[in-house]
């Protein structure tokens, strides 16, 4: 099941890290929710294959350690989501459809 494309309106912001919003459900380490507003990554779907990090021409992502998460113990954190140029490369290469991109 892919990322919820309506998470920005259907889910509550429950936390924030480095200025990046985190949307529910958030109950670490097992549930990490969706991180980011312009570039959203469903941390519960992300398997950390790195395809989005390699595909992004403007370095939106960096690795974030998430020890204890069942899908993977690191995630592609959209730390530089403001730099996104909306090329959709990350969305197109994500093998589990964990990324959603929408202009602000």
């Amino acid at each position: 099941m892919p990322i919820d494309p309506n998470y920005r309106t259907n889910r509550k912001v429950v936390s924030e890290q480095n200025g990046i919003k985190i949307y529910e459900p958030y109950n670490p380490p097992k549930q990490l929710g969706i991180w980011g507003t312009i570039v959203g990554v469903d941390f519960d779907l992300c398997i950390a294959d790195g395809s989005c990090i390699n595909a992004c021409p403007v370095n939106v992502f960096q690795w974030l350690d998430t020890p204890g998460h069942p899908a993977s113990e690191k995630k592609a954190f959209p730390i530089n989501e403001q730099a996104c140029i909306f090329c959709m490369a990350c969305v197109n290469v994500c093998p589990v459809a964990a990324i959603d991109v929408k202009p602000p």
Side-chain angles (χ1 to χ4, degrees):
M1 184 152 164
I3 188 172
D4 173 7
N6 300 311
Y7 76 89
R8 296 164 186 86
T9 54
N10 292 346
R11 299 181 185 208
K12 291 169 58 175
V13 174
V14 292
S15 191
E16 194 172 295
Q17 184 163 328
N18 295 350
I20 303 300
K21 292 179 181 175
I22 303 170
Y23 295 82
E24 66 184 356
Y26 185 69
N27 187 20
K30 302 296 182 198
Q31 288 184 304
L32 299 176
I34 298 174
W35 293 47
T37 302
I38 297 168
V39 179
V41 178
D42 189 327
F43 273 24
D44 295 319
L45 296 177
C46 178
I47 59 170
D49 79 325
S51 59
C52 59
I53 290 174
N54 294 330
C56 182
V58 293
N59 300 313
V60 165
F61 305 96
Q62 72 180 25
W63 288 120
L64 178 71
D65 289 331
T66 56
H69 191 268
S72 66
E73 294 205 335
K74 64 182 180 177
K75 304 294 177 185
F77 180 30
I79 186 68
N80 299 315
E81 69 175 347
Q82 294 293 334
C84 182
I85 59 172
F86 311 104
C87 69
M88 307 305 275
C90 60
V91 172
N92 293 331
V93 299
C94 182
V96 293
I99 303 171
D100 186 66
V101 174
K102 285 205 175 45

